[in-house]
Amino acid sequence: MTVTPNKTAQVSRRSFLRKGALGAGVTAAGGLAAPAVLAQSPIVVKLQTSWPASDIWQEMAQAYADRVEAMSGGRLKVDVLPAGAVVAAFQVMDAVSDGLIDMAHSVPVYWYGKNKAASLFGTGPVFGGSADTMLGWFYAGGGKEFYAELMDTMGLDVEGMLGFPMPAQPFGWFKSEVAGVDDIKGLKYRTVGLAADLMQSMGMSVAQLPGGEIVPAMERGVIDAFEFNNPTSDSRFGAQDVAKNYYLSSYHQASESFEFLFSKSFLEGLDPDLQAIMRHAVEAASTANSATALDQYSRDLQKLGESGVTVHRTPDAILEAQLEAWDALIPQLEEDEFMKRVLDSQREWVERVTYYTLMNSPDYQLAYEHYYPGKLAL
């Protein structure tokens, strides 16, 4: 029988451990051993991710841990655990709230089953803004306040922050080439969150699975096609062994970021400077993760192309059909008052910010083709 710890007892235990570690230093303040005692008594932060140990995202979570430990001078130690170490991949939100773990590294779309509105914080309709645009909305456009309201509505003892604006997710892996919507109708397809609603409306049959279950499901015929996220993660779990057509670019999940989930009770029990380190390390890790992704994703895409995988751009006909499917889905989402307010806020932000972005940005494709003629196969 699994026993869920009492939340009050969990908070009290954490407070006791923290104060006990600091108290040891105070007791020894008159002696020379005090600094050594403090150095040997870090506050351990138990962080579980939603990723397999082999995934590059586990390494990206470790980048956060390394920065917290460095900035705290060793007063904080973050123990990074993979999916399944304490709870399953889709259960880390509840585990944080219940005090089983202090922190989690995941994505909001995984809480779609608890509340569909969670999917709006990264995998909702794409009104023209990128992941960078929507990360800006989270911090400067009111998104963080909407997120906090959602956590309160769900009764969760959780504070969440977003970091690492992900490159748009590929449409995914297919056994045969697809040229239009007729080619994908009837396929059993893996995706998550509102993207599941989107793809079902386009005629696909959708299964929502964690990353570690995708290839076995493909091998057993449970699914016919799938997407996960990026060339590195996809190749590490063996996507290229079960399909050879890889379609990049899609509107189904084009503005997602990582989610850093904190137990509010745990976080607020820390000294103010350590709270600040825990929060601001999200921003530091976001920059580091972005650099890692640009480097590693591009290298692994190149390797996939060299190993017999055919890399395609998703046909415009499918992209246009995705936008039309979002158009049909949005009014249904807006029947929920909270989701309507979030979508209104996002539209207002994207209209203003993306107008500036598009007007200000030169045509990078023109420059790329100038220096690398014939390289793009569009």
Side-chain angles (χ1 to χ4, degrees):
M1 181 177 67
T2 301
V3 179
T4 301
N6 178 274
K7 187 180 296 184
T8 302
Q10 182 75 9
V11 173
S12 299
R13 181 186 69 81
R14 289 169 173 165
S15 179
F16 172 79
L17 290 174
R18 182 176 67 84
K19 292 176 181 176
L22 297 178
V26 172
T27 301
L32 296 176
V37 171
L38 285 172
Q40 294 171 13
S41 305
I43 298 168
V44 178
V45 182
K46 185 184 292 185
L47 182 161
Q48 189 195 297
T49 75
S50 291
W51 327 124
S54 60
D55 198 289
I56 190 172
W57 287 358
Q58 194 72 7
E59 298 164 25
M60 291 180 174
Q62 186 62 50
Y64 170 83
D66 294 344
R67 282 153 181 77
V68 167
E69 293 177 24
M71 288 189 285
S72 69
R75 293 162 63 199
L76 292 170
K77 176 174 174 53
V78 182
D79 186 12
V80 181
L81 305 169
V86 180
V87 294
F90 287 3
Q91 296 173 349
V92 296
M93 170 73 84
D94 285 333
V96 170
S97 183
D98 293 341
L100 291 175
I101 53 179
D102 305 311
M103 188 178 171
H105 186 265
S106 193
V107 284
V109 70
Y110 281 2
W111 327 129
Y112 167 90
K114 296 176 71 66
N115 191 313
K116 278 194 175 186
S119 197
L120 297 182
F121 295 87
T123 56
V126 179
F127 299 115
S130 66
D132 293 279
T133 308
M134 300 317 294
L135 187 61
W137 169 78
F138 184 81
Y139 286 105
K144 195 169 190 295
E145 290 73 23
F146 280 119
Y147 182 100
E149 181 180 345
L150 181 61
M151 294 300 104
D152 288 342
T153 299
M154 293 195 292
L156 297 172
D157 181 42
V158 171
E159 178 180 327
M161 297 180 67
L162 300 187
F164 172 46
M166 298 179 184
Q169 296 186 28
F171 187 42
W173 295 83
F174 295 79
K175 294 179 180 179
S176 302
E177 293 187 19
V178 295
V181 176
D182 287 343
D183 294 328
I184 64 174
K185 285 183 177 178
L187 292 181
K188 294 174 289 186
Y189 179 78
R190 180 272 177 194
T191 189
V192 290
L194 286 174
D197 296 21
L198 184 81
M199 296 308 184
Q200 283 190 173
S201 73
M202 294 175 64
M204 304 182 92
S205 173
V206 177
Q208 302 200 44
L209 302 170
E213 298 179 18
I214 294 174
V215 166
M218 191 80 164
E219 291 173 333
R220 297 195 311 270
V222 175
I223 56 175
D224 305 311
F226 62 90
E227 63 81 29
F228 180 66
N229 189 274
N230 64 80
T232 301
S233 296
D234 293 0
S235 60
R236 286 193 185 185
F237 65 58
Q240 66 276 16
D241 297 329
V242 292
K244 294 298 183 184
N245 291 280
Y246 192 26
Y247 283 83
L248 301 187
S249 82
S250 180
Y251 289 127
H252 77 287
Q253 288 178 297
S255 58
E256 189 170 24
S257 293
F258 280 146
E259 178 182 47
F260 295 75
L261 298 168
F262 303 94
S263 160
K264 288 177 69 175
S265 298
F266 175 78
L267 189 62
E268 292 170 1
L270 298 175
D271 290 335
D273 64 323
L274 296 183
Q275 292 185 42
I277 287 169
M278 294 278 287
R279 291 186 177 103
H280 292 306
V282 172
E283 300 166 345
S286 182
T287 299
N289 292 168
S290 294
T292 297
L294 288 174
D295 178 35
Q296 198 62 53
Y297 293 5
S298 62
R299 290 180 186 275
D300 287 324
L301 180 64
Q302 189 173 52
K303 290 178 183 177
L304 286 169
E306 294 168 351
S307 67
V309 171
T310 302
V311 179
H312 308 264
R313 284 271 296 179
T314 300
D316 287 346
I318 292 178
L319 295 175
E320 290 167 2
Q322 287 179 342
L323 292 177
E324 292 170 0
W326 276 125
D327 289 344
L329 184 58
I330 289 169
Q332 300 173 36
L333 301 179
E334 292 183 329
E335 292 175 5
D336 178 272
E337 181 270 342
F338 176 78
M339 295 180 79
K340 174 71 162 61
R341 286 191 286 121
V342 172
L343 289 166
D344 283 345
S345 175
Q346 291 179 341
R347 276 187 290 250
E348 181 182 358
W349 175 266
V350 171
E351 182 178 10
R352 173 168 56 87
V353 171
T354 302
Y355 173 83
Y356 162 73
T357 302
L358 294 175
M359 289 295 288
N360 187 63
S361 298
D363 186 340
Y364 290 106
Q365 182 177 327
L366 179 65
Y368 186 89
E369 291 179 330
H370 175 81
Y371 288 103
Y372 313 103
K375 183 77 174 180
L376 287 176
L378 301 177

